[in-house]
Amino acid sequence: MNNKAVILGNNYYLGLSTIRCLGKYGIHTVAVDYSEENRYAAESKYVSEKLIVPHYQNETKEFIDALIDYAKSQDVKPVLIPCHDSYVEAIDAYLDEIREYYLIPQTEQGLYTTVMDKGKLHQLAEEKGMKVPETLTIDTENFHEKVESIIKFPCLVKPVDSPNFVKKFRRKLFKVHSMEELEEKIELAKNADLEVIIQRIIPGFDDHMYTFDAYLNQDAKVTHWTTCRKLRQYPINFGASVYTVQKHVPELYELGANFLEAIKFKGFAEIEFKKDAETGDYYLIEINARITNLNSLLYKVGLNFPYITYMELTGQPLEPKAVNHNTNTAFWYFYEDMLAVKDYIKTGQLSAMTVLKSLFRPKAYAIWDWNDPKPAFSFAANLFGKVFHKVTKR
């Protein structure tokens, strides 16, 4: 295994789980970041090399040049694995250029960006016969009337460009309950130079959120897959997974595999669906075109997607595999789940007993690993430092 694995983004547990998934097989891992701040994943014992490069957004061309310079110094092409949407966007913008120096699953420049763009994704999904929530753009003719008659309140104001929206507002979307509030949030987005769409809320609690996690080979065929069901997310109702269980849902394979193969996607993808509590229909919500929050869970149930990616790209493809049974194993991000639980109980959406009962199952932890504890201690130290700074500033 002479090809190094270059992992972009190590200040979050997605990068950490990717490093572990590859390092456990003796693969040389390179932890790449733009800063040393909060870089707890780079403390893993499975990190072989650390690299600091220019910022992926503030100095995108310099960032790409630094990656290329690094690859040029290697004997063989490294495998490139971005672990954040913003890294994916930067790579996609220069995909044809960077593919000369790195092994990357996707071959069609622009496809990553298309599936990450909420508006373009929903248009593509509708073309392929997938159900998506009713959506309006702010320049839709008779906008206000259609909001009242089609979308209805409460509804969602969602970004087209999620990474920059989250960076600006520290949330994935706005939930609004009136036309006045809708106009206010649209104006906020305009002032931040961010495009948004207005979307109907599909009925159903957070446990109606599901994922289809899959790897598609260079022939754009699904070779590895499973499905999962969210139980809790943070922020509650419209956030990221903090407690999710692997659960086999055959319908999601039919929907997800057919769609991804139809658009000729290659590499790992996670489609988020929501099951309509009234009709039972599954609606496509979004696609994550990079390693996701659930990576440690997927590894624990037998699907090591970073390793699957690495092996195919280096000419050693693994045998196809599907986890098409229930393992009852859960992904758990303890820190944010505790914040979520507090809010679920406070709003009366869950009881303490319901939460407690849910915890009695095998778990895949977001950060903690008995065999690699240093990142967890580094994360805890960073968190304590932030809390201490906040308290002492009062």
Side-chain angles (χ1 to χ4, degrees):
M1 296 184 182
N2 296 324
N3 306 78
K4 294 181 179 180
V6 174
I7 295 107
L8 305 179
N10 313 125
N11 59 353
Y12 201 44
Y13 58 84
L14 279 67
L16 174 60
S17 63
T18 300
I19 288 166
R20 286 170 172 166
C21 281
L22 296 170
K24 289 175 181 178
Y25 285 90
I27 295 168
H28 184 107
T29 59
V30 186
V32 178
D33 284 285
Y34 61 87
S35 168
E36 292 287 356
E37 187 178 357
N38 298 333
R39 198 185 181 196
Y40 63 87
E43 299 299 320
S44 171
K45 71 178 185 180
Y46 296 108
V47 170
S48 310
E49 189 178 346
K50 300 178 184 179
L51 184 66
I52 296 294
V53 296
H55 195 279
Y56 51 82
Q57 279 185 320
N58 300 337
E59 304 170 279
T60 306
K61 187 62 170 69
E62 292 80 0
F63 162 69
I64 296 296
D65 289 343
L67 288 181
I68 290 175
D69 287 343
Y70 177 81
K72 284 180 176 178
S73 70
Q74 306 305 310
D75 294 330
V76 291
K77 284 185 178 182
V79 175
L80 187 63
I81 304 180
C83 294
H84 187 278
D85 287 344
S86 294
Y87 280 115
V88 175
E89 288 180 340
I91 296 303
D92 197 29
Y94 292 86
L95 186 64
D96 292 342
E97 181 179 346
I98 207 164
R99 274 180 57 82
E100 294 183 29
Y101 305 96
Y102 284 91
L103 299 174
I104 304 171
Q106 194 52 257
T107 56
E108 181 185 336
Q109 185 166 14
L111 186 55
Y112 279 145
T113 305
T114 294
V115 300
M116 290 167 60
D117 182 303
K118 300 295 190 299
K120 292 179 181 177
L121 172 62
H122 283 207
Q123 182 180 350
L124 189 59
E126 286 183 320
E127 289 173 2
K128 303 299 181 184
M130 295 278 282
K131 287 183 180 294
V132 294
E134 290 82 348
T135 303
L136 299 175
T137 59
I138 59 175
D139 57 359
T140 299
E141 189 176 352
N142 300 320
F143 174 74
H144 294 88
E145 292 83 351
K146 289 181 179 178
V147 168
E148 295 281 6
S149 63
I150 299 172
I151 305 299
K152 301 180 181 178
F153 292 105
C155 65
L156 305 177
V157 179
K158 299 181 73 172
V160 168
D161 180 357
S162 292
N164 282 322
F165 187 93
V166 172
K167 183 178 179 182
K168 174 66 178 178
F169 298 112
R170 312 308 300 173
R171 61 179 66 193
K172 293 177 69 173
L173 50 78
F174 296 127
K175 182 180 180 182
V176 298
H177 300 81
S178 66
M179 191 64 72
E180 182 181 5
E181 193 178 0
L182 173 59
E183 295 287 1
E184 176 192 328
K185 299 305 183 186
I186 289 174
E187 192 62 28
L188 272 178
K190 278 184 180 178
N191 291 338
D193 199 26
L194 291 167
E195 185 181 351
V196 293
I197 56 177
I198 316 306
Q199 195 170 91
R200 181 173 78 90
I201 296 176
I202 303 301
F205 181 58
D206 291 3
D207 60 3
H208 283 60
M209 293 295 299
Y210 293 81
T211 68
F212 172 68
D213 296 88
Y215 184 82
L216 290 89
N217 64 14
Q218 290 300 290
D219 294 322
K221 298 297 180 184
V222 172
T223 57
H224 299 76
W225 66 274
T226 194
T227 57
C228 303
R229 180 187 185 187
K230 287 188 184 183
L231 295 187
R232 296 189 291 277
Q233 47 192 354
Y234 185 78
I236 64 171
N237 307 138
F238 301 102
S241 299
V242 292
Y243 197 80
T244 295
V245 64
Q246 184 277 324
K247 180 179 176 63
H248 179 51
V249 185
E251 304 98 301
L252 296 186
Y253 171 77
E254 297 299 325
L255 292 169
N258 288 338
F259 177 68
L260 291 173
E261 290 179 356
I263 66 173
K264 301 191 183 309
F265 194 92
K266 298 174 183 177
F268 173 78
E270 178 183 84
I271 304 180
E272 288 196 14
F273 291 94
K274 186 166 185 181
K275 185 178 183 180
D276 190 313
E278 296 173 0
T279 66
D281 293 330
Y282 288 96
Y283 285 77
L284 182 151
I285 302 299
E286 65 180 17
I287 292 182
N288 292 309
R290 39 79 185 155
I291 299 302
T292 70
N293 302 45
L294 306 183
N295 191 53
S296 60
L297 168 63
L298 302 173
Y299 169 78
K300 188 158 187 173
V301 301
L303 292 171
N304 185 339
F305 283 107
Y307 186 63
I308 292 165
T309 303
Y310 180 93
M311 294 301 283
E312 194 209 5
L313 295 181
T314 57
Q316 310 161 79
L318 301 179
E319 286 294 313
K321 181 178 180 180
V323 180
N324 50 8
H325 60 279
N326 295 330
T327 64
N328 197 39
T329 305
F331 163 78
W332 195 22
Y333 184 16
F334 173 78
Y335 167 60
E336 287 197 349
D337 190 35
M338 292 302 98
L339 298 176
V341 165
K342 181 185 74 171
D343 290 343
Y344 280 120
I345 293 175
K346 182 179 179 181
T347 57
Q349 297 181 56
L350 287 175
S351 68
M353 185 55 67
T354 300
V355 172
L356 186 61
K357 286 180 179 178
S358 74
L359 297 177
F360 290 92
R361 51 168 53 94
K363 297 180 192 67
Y365 300 100
I367 299 174
W368 178 252
D369 186 330
W370 284 104
N371 296 313
D372 185 30
K374 196 173 179 182
F377 294 136
S378 178
F379 171 79
N382 288 335
L383 185 62
F384 177 78
K386 288 179 181 178
V387 172
F388 180 78
H389 179 70
K390 189 174 180 179
V391 170
T392 53
K393 278 183 69 179
R394 292 177 178 174

